[in-house]
Amino acid sequence: AGGGARTAAPGGVVGAGGAAGGGGTGADGDDGARGGRPRLTYGGGKLILAPMVRCGTLPLRLLSLRYGADIVYSEELIALKLRQCERVVNDVFGTVDFVHSSGEKVYRTCAEEVGRNVVQMGVADDVTAVQAATVVARDCAGLDINMGCPKRFSLQGGMGAALLQKPEVAASILRALRRNFAVPVTCKIRILGDDPSELAATADFARQMEAAGAEAIGVHVRTVLERPKDPAHWPALAPVVEAVRIPVIANGDAFTWEDCERIFADTGVASVMIARGALQNPTLFRRTRGPLPLLEAMRDYTCVAADVGNSFANTKYTLMQMARGSRMLSGPTGQAFAHARTLAGVAEAVGAQEHVAACEARLRKRMRGVPEERRKYLFDCVSSRKYLDSYF
């Protein structure tokens, strides 16, 4: 393997390891078809992995797809940063990476999620949205605009839930993306409140986004001021479903397949998006086959993380979030896992040591002949001189 081929602008994938391209622009795209694959659609009772900060990286997306998810969203990518990224075909891990000028890997994808991966962007204006989407559009199946994040950083920057108060700006972002790119464009919002006038305002906002070109709309059924501890307002979905003709995707308090069935039956939504439920146990996507034990899911996650070169810090953080809702952390397995300082230590705690050891051997072999100055583009760290020893 010969390291990573760098491309300054998006295009079709070079090399066997890269993710297939084909989203394209409105001018030269193929109406959203990707390498002969049908255009991504959001209806039909799909289960979707929600965008999750820090956790929605490639390993969790791939694991969710393998368990049965239909669509997977990236974590929110800040458009101001994404537009400064360089596209790197990473032949060591078989991925396509988007690397910021600082050396930070902002987004990583691979062939396995082609046709099912949606990139969510945090953005405050249409020009920046187009600039950022130009970098990544050929390597995703859809573009989504975050219009619901309540964090101060997003609100102060005019992103996320700030767009709920600026429907004309939100609409201009969607229109610009629809004009310039062939992949589906969607948005994810929060409700404006749960009294009749606020529900009507939410439905009106959804209609405006539909008119601007949104092909689906995700609705987190909490207000901007509410947090996960507050119960989701499932009845608030019905007015939005009635107001638009595009698929409405429900988000909020779906922890089991039975929860998803109730949401479908009670609200009439087209699909359900799952965040914390998928993080607590991604085998939720198995639907009627039932969930697997959490430790098995954590072992599978560790194996996938090793395969795609996910950073140890992010791997351990995500595993800790998976274990947080159980009693595992207080037992011997949890203690061994919590004190692990390398991927090998984590793998031993969750029973993935053989797979990770084999992955290390393959990686060391692939790394032969890769120039040191190129390695920073291949790994989740700026300097990789001691990468293998510190990672494994």
Side-chain angles (χ1 to χ4, degrees), residues 61 127 140 264:
R61 299 199 308 269
V127 173
C140 66
F264 281 124

Side-chain angles (χ1 to χ4, degrees), residues 276-295:
R276 288 179 296 151
L279 189 57
Q280 289 180 8
N281 192 334
T283 65
L284 160 65
F285 289 114
R286 287 165 47 90
R287 294 174 169 82
T288 56
R289 292 180 294 162
L292 298 174
L294 176 59
L295 185 60

Side-chain angles (χ1 to χ4, degrees), residues 198-210:
E198 292 167 328
L199 293 175
T202 304
D204 183 64
F205 185 92
R207 276 192 293 266
Q208 292 182 65
M209 298 308 103
E210 179 183 32

Side-chain angles (χ1 to χ4, degrees), residues 58-96:
L58 184 57
L60 186 62
R61 299 199 308 269
L62 292 182
L63 190 62
S64 297
L65 289 171
R66 293 177 188 180
Y67 285 141
D70 299 293
I71 301 172
V72 290
Y73 278 53
S74 72
E75 60 180 326
E76 179 191 22
L77 307 180
I78 304 303
L80 287 170
K81 179 179 288 187
L82 183 59
R83 70 177 181 177
Q84 300 179 51
C85 286
E86 183 177 9
R87 183 180 185 277
V88 179
V89 177
N90 187 331
D91 291 327
V92 171
F93 289 112
T95 61
V96 172

Side-chain angles (χ1 to χ4, degrees), residues 155-168:
L155 297 177
Q156 290 181 338
M159 303 179 292
L163 292 172
L164 295 174
Q165 305 304 320
K166 300 178 180 180
E168 68 287 349

Side-chain angles (χ1 to χ4, degrees), residues 292-304:
L292 298 174
L294 176 59
L295 185 60
E296 185 171 341
M298 294 175 68
R299 179 171 64 246
D300 290 347
Y301 177 89
T302 304
C303 292
V304 177

